[in-house]
Amino acid sequence: MKDFLLIFRTDIAAMPKRSPEEMQASTKRWMDWIGGIAAQNKLTDRGNRLVQTGKVLNPGNVITDGPYTEIKESIVGYSIVKANTEEEATELAKGCPILAAGGNVEIREISVL
């Protein structure tokens, strides 16, 4: 099996404020989805959420604040799954809770060096 990186993106500014109960329910949906992948023995790394701020290092050691603020969509997290094909990895991604919130999942095969 190959490893595939699932990259979760959404427009953070468009996300509604949620109550503690809604946040707990959202976390449960994520854990249930990840748990389903793990139950199939197809989870390499559950991944993590990413904070909204960071730095970008450019050629010449030029450092800017990042990620790129002019882009509405932000990378908010990732997971790594095992699959035989890109299509199979895409099927695993179809249950991702970010989709119900208007976000998307990018599926990329990891090329081992």
Side-chain angles (χ1 to χ4, degrees):
M1 283 196 179
K2 304 172 192 173
D3 282 334
F4 290 84
L5 178 66
L6 305 182
I7 303 166
F8 311 125
R9 290 194 177 93
T10 194
D11 180 356
I12 294 175
M15 293 180 72
K17 298 290 182 197
R18 297 182 292 178
S19 70
E21 293 81 15
E22 291 169 323
M23 290 174 67
Q24 186 174 13
S26 175
T27 298
K28 183 180 182 327
R29 285 190 294 276
W30 278 91
M31 299 314 304
D32 288 350
W33 173 65
I34 289 291
I37 294 171
Q40 298 174 58
N41 199 30
K42 293 185 178 179
L43 185 64
T44 300
D45 183 341
R46 72 173 177 86
N48 286 292
R49 290 179 281 192
L50 301 174
V51 298
Q52 296 177 31
T53 59
K55 298 286 183 195
V56 177
L57 177 61
N58 295 291
N61 291 327
V62 175
I63 301 170
T64 58
D65 289 332
Y68 301 104
T69 55
E70 64 274 7
I71 299 173
K72 289 178 73 171
E73 206 173 63
S74 295
I75 296 173
V76 295
Y78 68 93
S79 292
I80 300 174
V81 298
K82 298 176 197 174
N84 290 311
T85 64
E86 186 176 271
E87 291 74 19
E88 184 182 343
T90 301
E91 284 299 314
L92 293 172
K94 285 184 177 178
C96 181
I98 199 86
L99 300 170
N104 63 66
V105 181
E106 180 178 341
I107 299 98
R108 301 283 300 269
E109 183 178 340
I110 296 172
S111 177
V112 179
L113 298 176

